[in-house]
Amino acid sequence: MNDSFEELISSYIDSKIGISKDFLSEALANSLKNNLLKLYKDEELKSAGIGHFGTFAKNKEIRSDVIYWLDKENNNPHEIEFFALIEDFITYLNKECFTGIKSYEFHYALYKPGTFYKRHLDQFQDTSNRQFSMITYLNVDWKEGDGGELKVYDGEKSQIVSPINRKTVFFKSNELEHEVLETNQLRLSITGWLRKDLIDVIVS
Ligand code: OGA
Ligand code: NI
């Protein structure tokens, strides 16, 4: 069993915001960061939408990051290793917490200096399939003043999470509003959702 799984789940149960400081190994974090930087250099990252299908709209006033979806069909060994880790986590979560997660989706995200994602909920208005949000950071030298913190709201309270390399944050998608504060440096992450419906990536 992976200690970071237990850390993520117990902090989630205690405070609704699960945090593990080292969900990714150094090596995997480094490889995924290099993938992301290469995709950026090759101009493969695209601005993301708000909502989906019919309600899809690009709104730079709400979010100004650029993204790229991870996919088993990319045949990238590091993405495949990341998915294997996520599947192990889901197996553990389903067993410990009876969550019934059946699939997942993840994208790389890159925030250039001056970009942000305003306060929002991760669940689209017309579906409730996204159960948990899971964000992992790839910012090796992040320091105070670089900005780009995640601010998570829970009623009157809020918590600031620094986007430090290898850290993973985990919370219920329909429960906690959150925002990405304006970043002053390039900010790298992988964001995704654990779902209760079946999409093409199925947990075996
Ligand atoms: C999102 C999001 C938070 C982060 O992509 O929906 O809220 O810290 N990301 O990157
Ligand atoms: Ni979000």
Side-chain angles (χ1 to χ4, degrees), residues 110-135:
L110 181 145
Y111 290 75
K112 294 177 205 166
T115 63
F116 51 80
Y117 193 158
K118 297 273 197 240
R119 184 169 172 166
H120 66 280
L121 208 56
D122 279 352
Q123 216 170 59
F124 299 128
Q125 282 149 0
D126 52 347
T127 82
S128 58
N129 287 316
R130 287 181 171 180
Q131 292 295 291
F132 294 100
S133 302
M134 214 170 158
I135 306 136

Side-chain angles (χ1 to χ4, degrees), residues 16 62 86 89 93 107 132 155 158-159 191 195-196 198:
K16 298 192 207 166
I62 297 176
I86 293 296
F89 177 68
L93 181 72
H107 64 61
F132 294 100
S158 66
Q159 183 176 328
T191 298
R195 302 173 61 111
K196 67 176 186 189
L198 290 172

Side-chain angles (χ1 to χ4, degrees), residues 63 111 117 120 122 135 137 150 178 180 187 189 191 193:
R63 71 183 291 187
Y111 290 75
Y117 193 158
H120 66 280
D122 279 352
I135 306 136
Y137 301 108
L150 171 68
H178 53 280
V180 178
R187 179 196 197 265
S189 57
T191 298
W193 296 274

Side-chain angles (χ1 to χ4, degrees), residues 135-202:
I135 306 136
T136 299
Y137 301 108
L138 303 172
N139 304 298
V140 180
D141 294 317
W142 190 90
K143 55 193 179 316
E144 210 72 43
D146 285 352
E149 291 93 342
L150 171 68
K151 184 170 183 182
V152 187
Y153 298 88
D154 182 14
E156 304 286 281
K157 294 182 295 176
S158 66
Q159 183 176 328
I160 297 275
V161 181
S162 49
I164 293 175
N165 195 41
R166 302 170 62 204
K167 183 191 282 182
T168 293
V169 188
F170 173 76
F171 54 88
K172 200 98 202 306
S173 302
N174 66 354
E175 205 171 64
L176 300 184
E177 292 191 348
H178 53 280
E179 71 178 303
V180 178
L181 302 178
E182 185 173 328
T183 187
N184 304 315
Q185 298 288 344
L186 203 62
R187 179 196 197 265
L188 309 176
S189 57
I190 293 181
T191 298
W193 296 274
L194 308 188
R195 302 173 61 111
K196 67 176 186 189
D197 59 339
L198 290 172
I199 53 171
D200 55 356
V201 191
I202 294 169

Side-chain angles (χ1 to χ4, degrees), residues 26-60:
E26 297 260 12
L28 183 56
N30 190 51
S31 302
L32 292 168
K33 180 194 72 181
N34 289 337
N35 277 353
L36 174 46
L37 290 174
K38 171 136 197 338
L39 289 163
Y40 180 43
K41 192 166 138 265
D42 294 346
E43 299 182 358
E44 297 284 358
L45 297 164
K46 299 284 175 319
S47 50
I50 319 282
H52 72 162
F53 304 123
T55 60
F56 190 89
K58 286 185 181 171
N59 191 341
K60 292 211 166 54

